[in-house]
Every structure is written in C-alpha cells, then in structure tokens.
C-alpha cells in the first residue's frame, strides 16, 4: 500500500499514540507499529504510577503538565484515569535526602510505619512522602488515545516494521512492512529501537540505551490496606504497592539490554522475594505473573524531543526512560507544537530536550 502523510510516526507505544491523538485533525497522520498490536512493549508493562517528585527537574515539569492535561481529559471525556495513591521513599537518611525533591516532604519514622504497617522498623531510618502522586489506568489512557486518533482519521498500521527510509528534498520515503509511505515529517518514537530507526534513516544516533526493569504481581499472607502508599527503597533496590488482594513488586533493576521482547530473569525475582520478606511482613508466598520491560534512556537521563539538527524533517521522540506515562501528555503537547510550528508553552524545556550532536 502506498500512502502520503504530513507526519509519519514510527512506534505505537504511549509516546507515539499520545502524539498521534494530538496531531489528529491538524494534519494527515500515519502511525506504524512493528508489532501486531499497539502498546505491546514498555507501554503495556508500566507500574501505572505518576510521581511528580520522581526524576530530574525537566521530567518533574513534564509530569506536572501531564497531570494537568489528564485531569482536563477526564473532565472533557467523562473518563476515570487517575486515582489517589501516595508515593513513599524509605531508606538511610542520606539516600532519602538525595532522592527527595519537588513534592516530596520528609516524615518521621513513626509516620512511615503508620502509613505502611508491613514495614519492619529496623530496616530503614528515614522516609519521605509525595501525596501528589497518583495511580493511572494506563490501559484506559491508551484506549482513549487510540479512539481519538482513529476518530480523527489517523491511519494506524500494525505488523509494519520500518525497514527503509530515504530523505528527499520534500520529506521522507519510508518502507514499513508491506507499505510505502511518503511523509514530510518522520517521527522516531520507536522506544528501545529508536537508535536503530535512526541508523535505517541515515541519521546520527543519540546514544539511547535500553535497560531492563522487571515487575510481578504476588500473593502474600499479609494484606496492604486501601490507601497504603506505593513504597520504594531510596537505594533503588525495590518498590511495592497494593494490587487487589496482592501486591505489585519490582527489584528496580537497571540492566543494559539489546532491543528485544524482554522476559523476567528467575534469579532476579528470587532475590527480590527474599529482600522484601526481610524488609517487610508482607509474607510473599507466590508469584501470579511477572514481566519485564525496557526503559530507554540517554546518558543524560532526559528524553530527546525535537527535530534533528542535521536531518531535515526527522523528529526525535524517544528516551523517556522510566517516565513514559507520567510525562506522556506533556511531551506530546511539546512535540505537537514543534511539529506544527506553533509557539511552545515551555521554550526553555524545548531547548533542554532538543537533540544534540
């Protein structure tokens, strides 16, 4: 199939879908996804938590903007996307102090124990709480972006892995699966495969690297009460939160990986269960299901958003790391403004995130 578009988006995760739904109605958009379904990789393996105090200042700014936009989306479309769920850090005095920023405030040892009764008091010395943190229904958000995009005429092609891209004077000719697409703008929202897409396109890479991050839903003898915060170790050794009658847990590992359909490593999960049963009285007995996603980051730890300085019409939308959902609406708003040639609400942020050489 031969197609023409103003904007071609490569990647059907939360980044690509958020942008497609914003651009829809303003220009002709085609979105291609290598997998047979949208949001298959990192976007389907999220912790589903938006934490305004998490990440560097630019990420925190994008998170707060995303929360504002999502609350507007809830109101305008009669959706329930967000739910209150605080985020608590525990650890040594130094680790908690170094990780506390933005909306995070210090609380006493006793206050932390009252918020999560399953913590063993001897295993941490300090704590901080972010009460502005919320839980996210990520599946509902993905579905909303999909419906908006489809409703506004966005062409979505799945099972269409990009295999060729040629820069022309008036745009790009791209081969994706069995499709040939001409587009004025080529958006690289390919997640862990973003640098590979750059190589195919003859564009210098940004040094993006995928890292493994595993999570599991477990059964336990204890029970986390409704309203219990998500709890994370300030040394990045674990996090856990209530998930129905059980808990969602993670070893918070950050292991370099090749772009792939990552799968859990049994030894990582065994070590995590041991660590959590030492630090808490959750009494984890079994794993219901486990999964691993890839968090793709630059060396600086910031997303890359903007037109490539050397390849005209090539737009980077990658490197969100572990901040994909929590920055998605803010980043999409910024990207759409840059692509449409409109004035950005955050010009300094655009400079901070722009691709460099």
């Amino acid at each position: 199939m031969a197609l023409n578009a103003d904007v071609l988006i490569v990647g059907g995760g939360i980044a690509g879908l958020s942008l497609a739904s914003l651009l829809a109605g303003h220009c002709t958009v085609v979105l291609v996804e290598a997998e047979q379904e949208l949001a298959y990789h990192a976007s389907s393996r999220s912790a589903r938590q938006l934490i305004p105090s998490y990440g560097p200042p630019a990420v925190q700014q994008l998170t707060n903007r995303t929360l504002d936009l999502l609350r507007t989306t809830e109101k305008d479309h009669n959706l329930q996307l967000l739910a209150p769920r605080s985020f608590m850090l525990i650890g040594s005095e130094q680790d908690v102090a170094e990780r506390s920023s933005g909306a995070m405030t210090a609380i006493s040892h006793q206050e932390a124990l009252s918020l999560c009764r399953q913590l063993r008091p001897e295993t941490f010395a300090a704590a901080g709480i972010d009460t502005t943190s919320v839980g996210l229904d990520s599946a509902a958000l993905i579905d909303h972006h999909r419906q908006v995009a489809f409703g506004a005429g966005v062409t979505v092609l799945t099972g269409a892995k990009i295999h060729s891209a040629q820069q022309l004077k008036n745009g790009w000719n791209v081969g994706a699966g069995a499709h040939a697409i001409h587009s004025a703008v080529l958006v690289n929202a390919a997640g862990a495969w973003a640098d590979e897409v750059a190589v195919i396109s003859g564009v210098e890479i940004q040094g993006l690297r995928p890292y493994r991050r595993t999570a599991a839903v477990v059964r336990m003898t204890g029970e986390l009460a409704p309203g219990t915060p998500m709890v994370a170790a300030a040394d990045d050794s674990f996090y856990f939160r209530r998930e129905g009658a059980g808990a969602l847990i993670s070893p918070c590992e950050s292991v370099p990986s090749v772009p792939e359909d990552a799968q859990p490593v049994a030894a990582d999960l065994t070590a995590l269960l041991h660590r959590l049963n030492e630090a808490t009285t959750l009494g984890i007995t079994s794993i219901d299901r486990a999964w691993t996603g890839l968090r793709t980051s630059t060396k600086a730890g910031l997303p890359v958003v903007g037109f490539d300085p050397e390849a005209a019409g090539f737009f980077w939308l990658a490197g969100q790391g572990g901040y994909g959902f929590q920055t998605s609406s803010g980043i999409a708003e910024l990207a759409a403004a840059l692509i449409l040639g409109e004035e950005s609400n955050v010009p300094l942020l655009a400079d901070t995130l722009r691709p460099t050489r």
Side-chain angles (χ1 to χ4, degrees):
M1 180 188 298
L3 296 167
N4 288 288
D6 297 315
V7 178
L8 170 62
I9 300 172
V10 179
I14 184 61
L17 279 171
S18 298
L19 179 60
S21 70
L22 266 188
L23 291 176
H26 296 280
C27 57
T28 305
V29 180
V30 173
L31 183 149
V32 296
E33 166 56 44
E35 302 295 345
Q36 295 298 328
E37 58 187 89
L38 298 174
Y40 175 79
H41 288 288
S43 294
S44 66
R45 309 172 195 192
S46 165
R48 307 189 301 281
Q49 185 88 6
L50 276 62
I51 309 168
S53 59
Y54 180 47
V59 167
Q60 293 185 20
Q61 184 176 350
L62 287 166
T63 301
N64 284 314
R65 181 58 182 158
T66 295
L67 283 168
D68 289 342
L69 292 169
L70 290 179
R71 289 183 175 114
T72 299
T73 297
E74 286 184 313
K75 181 179 179 181
D76 291 347
H77 296 272
N78 193 28
L79 293 174
Q80 182 66 55
L81 299 172
L82 306 173
R85 185 164 62 219
S86 296
F87 174 76
M88 185 164 67
L89 274 178
I90 61 170
S92 69
E93 296 276 1
Q94 180 178 345
D95 285 343
V96 171
E98 288 178 352
R99 287 285 305 276
S100 295
S101 62
M104 180 72 65
T105 58
I107 58 175
S108 70
H109 191 262
Q110 187 56 48
E111 285 174 316
L113 292 173
S114 67
L115 288 170
C116 182
R117 300 191 304 271
Q118 288 78 15
L119 291 172
R120 295 187 190 273
E122 70 277 10
T123 61
F124 70 101
I129 191 79
D130 181 353
T131 58
T132 66
S133 175
V134 295
L136 170 70
D137 187 336
S138 56
L141 182 58
I142 288 288
D143 189 57
H144 166 71
H145 288 311
R146 181 190 292 113
Q147 289 186 32
V148 170
F150 284 165
V154 172
T155 299
V156 175
L157 306 172
T158 56
K161 184 177 181 179
I162 180 172
H163 52 76
S164 64
Q166 181 184 10
Q167 184 180 8
L168 307 173
K169 289 183 178 180
N170 64 341
W172 292 82
N173 279 348
V174 176
H179 310 284
I181 306 156
H182 176 79
S183 179
V185 174
L186 172 57
V187 177
N188 183 2
W193 287 264
D195 268 354
E196 288 190 5
V197 169
V199 171
I200 290 170
S201 306
V203 176
E204 189 172 345
I205 65 174
Q206 290 291 309
L208 294 159
R209 186 67 185 269
Y211 296 87
R212 298 169 50 85
R213 177 60 58 92
T214 299
V217 174
V218 296
R219 299 182 185 184
M220 52 198 187
T221 57
E223 184 177 355
L224 293 165
T228 300
M230 178 177 179
V231 178
D235 64 358
D236 285 327
S237 60
F238 67 80
Y239 70 68
F240 65 87
R241 67 164 175 80
R242 189 173 187 265
E243 180 81 356
L248 174 70
I249 64 173
S250 173
C252 297
E253 85 276 30
S254 189
V255 180
S257 172
V258 297
E260 64 178 356
D261 186 3
Q263 300 298 317
V265 175
D268 292 343
L269 292 169
T270 299
L272 174 62
L273 297 191
H274 179 72
R275 175 79 175 91
L276 283 174
N277 281 332
E278 281 188 333
T280 73
T281 59
L282 291 173
I284 298 170
T285 57
S286 62
I287 296 174
D288 273 350
R289 63 185 187 277
W291 61 91
T292 299
L294 296 179
R295 303 149 60 97
T296 304
S297 300
T298 61
K299 187 175 181 180
L302 291 174
V304 183
V305 184
F307 282 104
D308 191 274
E310 296 179 5
F314 189 94
F315 192 94
W316 289 89
L317 183 61
Q320 291 88 343
Y323 316 116
F325 273 100
Q326 77 171 45
T327 61
S328 58
S329 296
I331 282 183
E333 181 184 51
L334 171 61
L338 294 172
I339 290 170
L340 296 173
E342 298 174 351
E343 186 175 347
S344 169
N345 291 330
V346 283
L348 293 178
L349 196 55
D351 287 341
T352 300
L353 303 184
R354 64 186 175 88
T356 57
R357 285 289 172 263

